[in-house]
């Protein structure tokens, strides 16, 4: 049975990974941490939780030792839009946090999952069917920290034998915890606005294509890659991973299949548009499929149907505050 530590556990990804991992490995075997405790009350109260900055090596070491942790899901990071507004904070958190975790993993023989992102690519990368191994010259601070993260994780693997693994997630869409300041946040917000107001004003242009994934698939990937046979993993940090690619206009079209009166408007945010323009339209994820059997379950239609169903139920009765868990 794995004994897991999660950093940044109350965020968009962490909150749903926590629920799934606790169901799979037992609540007491999944210790969660975050720098804040003003949200996620249910998660905090349902099992071991510590307030901890992921750069605080002493505190994390105490937790790893006392809970005999063997696997770390390191999720604490600043996302692309927030990172661009605070570049030096982002550099510090995204790189120093990871180095702290890797140092502890080396000392206590832990495996480490670190999510990378489509943000590792830049304007000189091939935009369509972006390959696994290709040019990575990102122009955003987020992307720079994520490329550094991929490289340092590989380094700890080949130099010290630490079992590091990671995926390049696309934009993640969910209905449990709101997104934390990324360029792809519009693809989540649009469903909430569609259900509550029947209209949405998008900050990206209507023809901006980006890779996306529904949260149940993202959680499945995080679990499957950490359970994969290590001998088969040639690309440890990190695997291209996608489930679908669409533009805001296309997503609005799918929403109209279920809510015909839905309208989309545009008010472009130049900062987030510039970041989106530098990312791939769509990636290929062949290496993940071959090396550990990756296969997504949700496409745009299935995700749209599920998001609208869950949110319609939730907002029909505002007292039903929790989200639905999928995995
Ligand atoms: P998020 O912003 O929703 O959550 C991050 C969490 O980290 C927050 O709960 C925050 O309080 C916590 N945190 C911030 N500073 C911290 C610190 N110093 N110490 C400990 N915790 C701290 O982000 P997310 O969407 O859950 O992303 C998780 C990981 O997945 C990140 O590495 C991100 O780059 C990656 N990722 C996310 C997406 C996406 O669309 N959500 C896509 C690609 C990659
Ligand atoms: C962001 O937009 O910053 C994230 C990501 C794709 O890494 N959602």
């Amino acid at each position: 049975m794995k004994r897991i530590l999660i950093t940044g556990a109350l965020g968009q990804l962490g909150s749903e990974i926590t629920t799934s991992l606790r169901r799979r490995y037992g609540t007491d075997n999944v210790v969660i941490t975050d720098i804040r405790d003003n949200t996620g009350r249910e998660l905090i109260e349902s099992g071991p939780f510590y307030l901890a900055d992921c750069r605080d090596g002493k505190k994390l070491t105490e937790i790893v030792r006392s809970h005999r942790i063997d696997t770390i899901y390191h999720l604490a990071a600043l996302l692309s839009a927030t990172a661009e507004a605070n570049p030096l904070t982002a550099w510090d958190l995204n790189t120093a946090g990871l180095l702290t975790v890797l140092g502890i993993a080396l000392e206590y023989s832990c495996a480490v999952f670190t999510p990378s992102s489509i943000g590792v690519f830049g304007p000189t990368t091939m935009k369509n069917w972006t390959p696994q191994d290709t040019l990575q010259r990102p122009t955003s601070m987020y992307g720079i920290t994520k490329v550094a993260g991929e490289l340092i994780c590989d380094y700890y693997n080949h130099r010290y034998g630490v079992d590091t693994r990671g995926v390049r997630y696309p934009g993640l869409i969910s209905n449990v915890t709101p997104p934390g300041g990324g360029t792809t946040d519009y693809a989540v917000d649009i469903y909430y606005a569609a259900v509550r107001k029947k209209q949405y004003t998008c900050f990206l242009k209507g023809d901006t294509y980006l890779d996306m994934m529904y949260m149940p698939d993202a959680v499945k990937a995080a679990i499957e890659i950490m359970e994969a046979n290590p001998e088969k993993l040639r690309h440890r940090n990190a695997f291209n991973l996608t489930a679908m690619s669409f533009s805001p206009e296309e997503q609005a079209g799918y929403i109209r299949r279920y809510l015909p009166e839905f309208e989309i408007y545009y008010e472009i945010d130049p900062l987030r548009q510039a970041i989106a323009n530098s990312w791939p339209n769509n990636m290929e994820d062949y290496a993940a499929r071959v090396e550990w059997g990756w296969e997504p379950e949700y496409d745009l239609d299935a995700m749209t149907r599920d998001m609208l169903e869950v949110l319609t139920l939730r907002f029909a009765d505002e007292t039903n505050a929790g989200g639905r868990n999928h995995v």
Side-chain angles (χ1 to χ4, degrees):
M1 187 63 81
K2 285 184 192 294
R3 298 184 62 84
I4 297 170
L5 168 69
I6 307 181
T7 70
L10 302 184
Q12 189 197 10
L13 180 58
S15 55
E16 298 207 43
I17 284 190
T18 297
T19 306
S20 291
L21 289 176
R22 281 187 167 166
R23 205 171 289 149
R24 196 171 183 84
Y25 300 114
T27 299
D28 288 343
N29 291 325
V30 180
V31 179
I32 64 171
T33 63
D34 205 293
I35 201 169
R36 63 196 165 118
D37 61 0
N38 59 350
T39 178
R41 192 75 357 233
E42 217 178 295
L43 288 180
I44 291 172
E45 286 169 3
S46 71
F49 168 80
Y50 295 89
L51 262 181
D53 188 317
C54 64
R55 293 161 293 188
D56 183 346
K58 193 164 174 272
K59 181 98 190 229
L60 286 195
T61 299
E62 272 168 31
I63 298 169
V64 165
R65 282 172 59 130
S66 61
H67 289 271
R68 292 178 289 113
I69 297 297
D70 57 37
T71 305
I72 303 175
Y73 279 74
H74 176 51
L75 308 181
L78 279 199
L79 271 63
S80 58
T82 319
E84 217 45 40
N86 313 277
L88 295 183
T89 311
W91 172 259
D92 181 54
L93 170 57
N94 294 8
T95 59
L98 177 55
L99 275 174
T100 305
V101 165
L102 288 171
I104 294 169
L106 173 59
E107 196 174 345
Y108 293 92
S109 304
C110 301
V112 182
F113 173 76
T114 313
S116 187
S117 160
I118 49 173
V120 293
F121 299 116
T124 50
T125 307
M126 194 190 291
K127 275 191 97 59
N128 293 315
W129 299 110
T130 304
Q132 171 70 42
D133 300 307
T134 186
L135 268 179
Q136 292 178 255
R137 303 285 294 177
T139 43
S140 70
M141 177 52 89
Y142 178 64
I144 292 166
T145 66
K146 287 291 175 185
V147 172
E150 289 186 4
L151 294 174
I152 196 71
C153 284
D154 272 344
Y155 182 80
Y156 268 70
N157 176 252
H158 70 71
R159 179 87 165 81
Y160 303 120
V162 178
D163 185 1
T164 55
R165 309 180 186 195
V167 297
R168 293 176 185 143
Y169 277 130
L172 302 181
I173 294 159
S174 64
N175 55 59
V176 174
T177 303
T183 302
T184 59
D185 291 10
Y186 86 83
V188 179
D189 300 343
I190 194 171
Y191 290 117
Y192 282 79
V195 168
R196 302 180 96 175
K197 297 189 269 181
K198 309 282 178 276
Q199 56 169 266
Y200 177 64
T201 303
C202 184
F203 56 77
L204 293 186
K205 289 183 191 160
D207 60 357
T208 310
Y209 277 84
L210 290 170
D211 281 298
M212 301 282 176
M213 181 179 293
Y214 200 26
M215 189 58 89
D217 278 332
V219 171
K220 181 167 90 94
I223 294 174
E224 284 178 1
I225 192 176
M226 294 311 284
E227 290 184 351
N229 178 354
E231 282 163 22
K232 298 216 165 135
L233 300 181
R234 203 166 68 77
H235 297 88
R236 282 178 161 270
N237 303 283
F239 288 89
N240 279 7
L241 209 63
T242 188
M244 59 192 100
S245 164
F246 57 76
S247 65
E249 204 52 45
E250 216 166 75
Q251 191 181 15
Y254 274 76
I255 291 174
R256 269 186 222 108
R257 290 180 177 189
Y258 304 98
L259 293 173
E261 66 276 40
F262 176 68
E263 298 280 358
I264 187 163
Y265 304 99
Y266 297 95
E267 224 169 79
I268 308 310
D269 170 12
L271 190 141
R272 285 180 286 190
Q273 184 67 52
I275 295 174
N277 290 347
S278 74
W279 290 355
N281 294 336
N282 66 294
M283 294 184 293
E284 61 89 356
D285 55 9
Y286 185 70
R289 288 171 189 264
V290 169
E291 291 178 42
W292 50 278
W294 162 245
E295 202 174 337
E297 283 173 16
Y298 286 85
D299 61 11
L300 177 54
D301 188 47
M303 175 178 77
T304 299
R305 212 173 333 116
D306 200 58
M307 281 295 283
L308 294 178
E309 193 185 302
V310 171
L311 295 177
T312 302
L313 269 175
R314 180 167 329 149
F315 293 119
D317 176 5
E318 296 269 356
T319 57
N320 175 16
R324 199 174 82 191
N325 291 311
H326 301 262
V327 178

